[in-house]
Amino acid sequence: MDTSRRISGFKYDCLLLDMDDTLYPLSTGLNLACRKNIEGYMLKHLLMEESEVPKLCVDLYREYGTTMAGLKAFGYEFDNDEFHAYVHGRLPYEKLKPDPVLRSLLLSMPQRKIVFTNADQAHAHQVLNRLGLNDCFDGIICFETLNPPNYTNVPTDTHLLTWSKSFNKDCNQVESGCFNSKTQILCKPSVEAIEAAIQIANVDPRKTLFFDDSARNIASGKAAGLNTVIVGRSDLVPGADYALNSIHNIKEALPKIWEVEGELQQMIQSPAVETMVLA
């Protein structure tokens, strides 16, 4: 996106948005289907006891942020791409429909908008395409972004490669620096993962709004210095600055996104852009 077109003076410079159960509601059923697929992978590929899988799946998610991260922490060895293909490749994506209301809202926001998800790149593209939002974001921070050592399926789109290469230095810092991504999967809700995303996206956390449906992620976002918005509930959770029943309520709850501070009161609309993957 051509940031030079923007008019300075907005309270926020960037919106960092979670994807699953944030850009679309939990009621779609994708979350439940994803959990069932994870359980299936644990049974079929990791040969776990069927009676233990459901509880272990949930326990690892609660402890490590994702079941996958928990399995890796417990020493299970498996291919990351194979796991994602099994878990997400069987999802009922047809339940996701184009959302012209959300699309209009996103395109009317003058700030940079970046998707920040624990999911893999292929899933992120599938979801955004189904929702009709694929050109509403400046970039995607996904599993491959925060865990580059295991990422070999490099996108072939020239525009994506240009964006990715510009962040190579930052990704290498995440790999070799204090985030220690070689010994664990880096993902929300760890504060390290959120700090890495802030570094990679090159944003000022004090001027960034972070949207997520997870109370744990919101608490970590606040610890990392972000302004935070819990999505999918009307009550505030620890660390949340704002609460949205639905992402569609954003204009009523957060009019400051569109307001210019000071004397300048001109509104602008950001053009549609091709979404770039930060991986």
Side-chain angles (χ1 to χ4, degrees), residues 233-245:
R233 56 194 299 166
S234 57
D235 56 315
L236 292 175
V237 298
D241 297 306
Y242 305 95
L244 297 177
N245 271 322

Side-chain angles (χ1 to χ4, degrees), residues 17-224:
L17 299 103
D18 176 49
M19 185 179 68
D20 293 307
D21 303 328
T22 296
L23 297 183
Y24 63 87
L26 180 66
S27 59
T28 59
L30 258 66
N31 185 294
L32 179 59
C34 187
R35 186 192 305 175
K36 293 298 182 184
N37 290 345
I38 293 173
E39 292 176 0
Y41 186 89
M42 293 165 71
L43 286 168
K44 181 177 180 180
H45 293 273
L46 303 182
L47 306 178
M48 295 184 175
E49 290 292 333
E50 185 173 0
S51 60
E52 299 176 359
V53 164
K55 183 177 185 301
L56 183 60
C57 182
V58 174
D59 288 348
L60 291 178
Y61 169 79
R62 289 174 176 169
E63 180 68 22
Y64 293 94
T66 68
T67 303
M68 180 187 190
L71 290 170
K72 292 281 188 175
F74 269 72
Y76 287 96
E77 296 184 3
F78 52 88
D79 182 78
N80 294 338
D81 292 337
E82 179 186 78
F83 178 89
H84 285 134
Y86 188 97
V87 169
H88 293 145
R90 293 165 166 78
L91 289 178
Y93 287 114
E94 67 276 4
K95 292 187 176 181
L96 296 177
K97 307 299 181 184
D99 190 339
V101 174
L102 180 54
R103 176 180 173 80
S104 178
L105 283 169
L106 290 170
L107 292 178
S108 73
M109 299 171 184
Q111 294 83 5
R112 292 174 64 206
K113 293 170 286 292
I114 298 173
V115 169
F116 179 22
T117 176
N118 282 338
D120 62 299
Q121 173 188 332
H123 174 68
H125 277 304
Q126 182 74 257
V127 169
L128 294 178
N129 283 331
R130 292 276 183 169
L131 294 173
L133 307 177
N134 55 306
D135 60 348
C136 294
F137 296 95
D138 296 86
I140 301 170
I141 296 176
C142 55
F143 177 86
E144 292 90 343
T145 316
L146 297 184
N147 302 276
N150 294 325
Y151 185 46
T152 57
N153 186 23
V154 179
T156 57
D157 186 282
T158 304
H159 196 39
L160 300 187
L161 285 173
T162 301
W163 180 267
S164 301
K165 288 176 182 176
S166 69
F167 282 89
N168 251 358
K169 181 179 179 182
D170 290 324
C171 285
N172 290 336
Q173 288 173 351
V174 173
E175 178 184 347
S176 60
C178 63
F179 302 118
N180 199 23
S181 65
K182 285 187 176 180
T183 58
Q184 63 180 351
I185 286 180
L186 198 59
C187 63
K188 296 179 288 183
S190 76
V191 176
E192 290 83 2
I194 295 174
E195 289 175 341
I198 291 170
Q199 172 187 326
I200 292 168
N202 191 27
V203 297
D204 179 353
R206 298 167 300 179
K207 299 270 288 179
T208 301
L209 271 173
F210 173 51
F211 297 76
D212 206 293
D213 65 293
S214 165
R216 292 185 304 166
N217 294 349
I218 288 296
S220 296
K222 177 54 65 176

